[in-house]
Every structure is written in structure tokens, then in C-alpha cells.
């Protein structure tokens, strides 16, 4: 996502199909069509505090307004954060939430995953696809426990 696509930034391009009241922005639709990349604009210098400050503010404002309550957002346990990150790879958030809850209920800590039979791990993962992720997660858990 380039800087030009953040809400409130001057180079934002929105099309007429956007349901928000300010969908066209102050300049109207982009001449090359809705959502056209802002290739005619210079790339922002992300080392410039004058660019980074507003960008940071826009991102935090966007997050504050639209953040979803997700079970891993308040986690501080690296194992549970890793589980969520692996599950979320190529999988929709709304699909992951119930799997994540069942997973941390059955494998609440890294040692419980490390010692579980692979068949049980794969059975709990069933429906998320890409089973190599589950196998790699368990291999990682075993490595952590061994050290």
C-alpha cells in the first residue's frame, strides 16, 4: 500500500463506487480511472519527519477507527503470537479466529504442542489448509523446548 492510498493523504484516489461520502475526494475521480496508481507523483521521502509524522498519524487514526477485537491482539506470549501469525498466512482473519481459540485451548503453551502427536496437530489444523504450516509450527515448538 503506497502512501497515496491512505485516508486523508493528499494523493488519495477513490472511485465513484466507493460508498463513503467523500469518495471522490477534493479533486474528483482520477483521470486514469478509479484507483489508478499515482505514478505521476514523486515517491515520498520516508526519512523526512514531515512525511513520516502525518503518515504515522493517518495510520494510527485508521487503526483506532477500524481495529477489530481479535484474540491475539492483547497477547504478550511469543508462542501465541507466533501461532496467530502462522495461521494468518494466506488465510482470512474470520476463518482463523475459531481455529486460534481451539488451538490455544488444546496447546496453551509451546511444550504442549511440542509433545503432541502429529496426527492430533493436523486434526486440529484441518480446514486451514497448507498443512506444512502446522508441521513447521510443531517442529519449531520442539526446537524451542529442546533448547
Amino acid at each position: 500500500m503506497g502512501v497515496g492510498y491512505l485516508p486523508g493523504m493528499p494523493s488519495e484516489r477513490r472511485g465513484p463506487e466507493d460508498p463513503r461520502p467523500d469518495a471522490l475526494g477534493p479533486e474528483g475521480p482520477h483521470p486514469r480511472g478509479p484507483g489508478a496508481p499515482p505514478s505521476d507523483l514523486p515517491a515520498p521521502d520516508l526519512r523526512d519527519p514531515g512525511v513520516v509524522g502525518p503518515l504515522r498519524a493517518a495510520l494510527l487514526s485508521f487503526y483506532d477507527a477500524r481495529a477489530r477485537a481479535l484474540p491475539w491482539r492483547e497477547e504478550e506470549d511469543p508462542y501465541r503470537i507466533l501461532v496467530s501469525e502462522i495461521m494468518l498466512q494466506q488465510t482470512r482473519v474470520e476463518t482463523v479466529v475459531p481455529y486460534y481459540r481451539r488451538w490455544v485451548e488444546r496447546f496453551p503453551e509451546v511444550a504442549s504442542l511440542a509433545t503432541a502427536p502429529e496426527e492430533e496437530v493436523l486434526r486440529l489444523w484441518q480446514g486451514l489448509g497448507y498443512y506444512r504450516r502446522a508441521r513447521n509450527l510443531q517442529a519449531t515448538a520442539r526446537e524451542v523446548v529442546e533448547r
Side-chain angles (χ1 to χ4, degrees):
M1 173 165 71
V3 172
Y5 294 107
L6 292 174
M9 297 302 284
S11 61
E12 181 176 22
R13 309 285 193 235
R14 296 183 189 168
E17 71 283 351
D18 192 324
R20 294 175 290 186
D22 61 343
L24 297 180
E27 301 165 30
H30 192 279
R32 293 190 312 251
S39 58
D40 54 330
L41 301 173
D45 182 0
L46 296 179
R47 297 169 293 179
D48 178 358
V51 171
V52 174
L55 175 61
R56 180 182 296 122
L59 285 171
L60 290 173
S61 175
F62 181 88
Y63 178 83
D64 288 343
R66 294 173 177 85
R68 294 179 277 183
L70 299 171
W72 49 82
R73 282 245 164 98
E74 301 302 319
E75 277 296 336
E76 293 183 12
D77 179 355
Y79 161 69
R80 290 182 179 209
I81 293 168
L82 178 64
V83 168
S84 72
E85 291 292 333
I86 299 298
M87 285 185 170
L88 287 164
Q89 293 172 1
Q90 300 182 23
T91 309
R92 297 175 55 94
V93 171
E94 51 275 1
T95 301
V96 169
V97 171
Y99 283 90
Y100 175 83
R101 288 190 172 127
R102 285 191 297 267
W103 188 274
V104 297
E105 183 178 305
R106 171 56 190 94
F107 308 120
E109 53 195 30
V110 69
S112 57
L113 174 59
T115 59
E118 182 179 284
E119 299 78 34
E120 185 178 1
V121 170
L122 295 178
R123 186 173 45 252
L124 210 56
W125 196 271
Q126 190 173 359
L128 283 176
Y130 303 102
Y131 289 91
R132 180 166 292 292
R133 295 182 294 170
R135 288 185 180 100
N136 287 340
L137 188 56
Q138 187 175 40
T140 301
R142 288 177 176 155
E143 184 74 25
V144 167
V145 168
E146 287 174 16
R147 291 182 183 201

